[in-house]
């Protein structure tokens, strides 16, 4: 009689549910001040940073930035990256860990799950979320300043476009 396969599947499903609940703004976890991820999920500065850091060219084209605005944005991004280098490296690492855990859970919880063997799974599964909350405390205000300073570079029309680009996309 093998019960390990159903238990692994149940555990993987649990990880997916916890990760999904933490990511959704309407989740029970979002009731705590700042949300499940310390406000990151609802912080437009975080979404702005990710767009500027990962898709700068396409993002700036969608905003129709002038050459002068591009220069200002480039300097702003470089200064932000330099001022927050250590915290941003941690942020990238924790996001990758969380993404890997969710991917492993979706694939059936085979290697890379939060729990290996008996005991200790809960604390290990919570560690990335706790670290993300710590990062939210550290980087949250910096992301808000980035958003404010970037918005100051834009025209009124571009500010409206930015707001729509940064709105949280909900599935479905």
């Amino acid at each position: 009689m093998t019960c390990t396969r159903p238990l692994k599947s149940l555990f993987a499903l649990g990880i997916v549910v916890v990760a999904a609940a933490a990511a959704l703004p309407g989740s029970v976890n979002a009731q705590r001040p700042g949300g499940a991820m310390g406000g990151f999920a609802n912080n437009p500065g975080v979404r702005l940073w990710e767009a500027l850091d990962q898709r700068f060219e396409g993002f700036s084209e969608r905003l129709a930035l002038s050459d002068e605005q591009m220069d200002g944005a480039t300097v702003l991004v470089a200064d932000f990256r330099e001022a927050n280098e250590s915290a941003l490296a941690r942020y990238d690492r924790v996001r990758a860990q969380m993404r890997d855990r969710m991917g492993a859970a979706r694939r059936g919880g085979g290697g890379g799950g939060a729990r290996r063997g008996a005991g200790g799974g809960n604390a290990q599964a919570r560690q990335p979320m706790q670290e993300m909350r710590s990062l939210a405390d550290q980087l949250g205000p910096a992301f808000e300043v980035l958003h404010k300073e970037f918005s100051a570079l834009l025209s009124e029309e571009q500010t409206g476009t930015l707001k729509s680009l940064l709105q949280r996309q909900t599935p479905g």
Side-chain angles (χ1 to χ4, degrees):
M1 188 160 113
T2 60
C3 292
T4 57
R5 183 72 177 158
L7 288 176
K8 283 183 178 179
S9 296
L10 184 61
F11 184 73
L13 178 62
I15 290 173
V16 170
V17 169
V18 168
L24 294 173
S27 72
V28 172
N29 290 332
Q31 293 176 8
R32 105 179 235 285
M37 293 179 58
F40 270 13
N42 295 315
N43 186 331
V46 173
R47 291 191 300 278
L48 173 63
W49 170 249
E50 290 174 357
L52 293 173
D53 185 46
Q54 298 169 11
R55 314 179 290 279
F56 184 83
E57 291 295 321
F59 191 72
S60 60
E61 285 177 17
R62 291 185 73 188
L63 285 171
L65 297 180
S66 69
D67 290 342
E68 184 179 325
Q69 289 172 317
M70 281 284 278
D71 292 343
T74 302
V75 169
L76 188 63
V77 168
D79 289 349
F80 182 82
R81 186 176 284 125
E82 183 179 332
N84 298 288
E85 184 177 6
S86 175
L88 289 171
R90 283 181 43 220
Y91 174 73
D92 290 342
R93 181 180 47 78
V94 171
R95 276 190 37 217
Q97 284 177 345
M98 292 171 73
R99 202 174 19 249
D100 290 347
R101 285 179 191 272
M102 287 177 33
R106 278 190 217 116
R107 290 186 302 273
R115 181 178 167 165
R116 302 220 181 214
N122 290 338
Q124 188 178 4
R126 283 191 306 263
Q127 190 273 335
M129 285 303 294
Q130 291 169 340
E131 190 167 354
M132 189 60 80
R133 286 185 185 111
S134 170
L135 283 165
D137 292 341
Q138 182 179 358
L139 280 173
F143 281 130
E144 290 173 20
V145 169
L146 173 69
H147 184 261
K148 181 179 177 181
E149 290 178 355
F150 185 82
S151 296
L153 296 172
L154 305 178
S155 69
E156 190 174 321
E157 182 179 331
Q158 289 170 320
T159 301
T161 302
L162 176 67
K163 185 176 180 178
S164 68
L165 289 173
L166 297 180
Q167 282 182 339
R168 219 176 133 85
Q169 301 297 315
T170 55

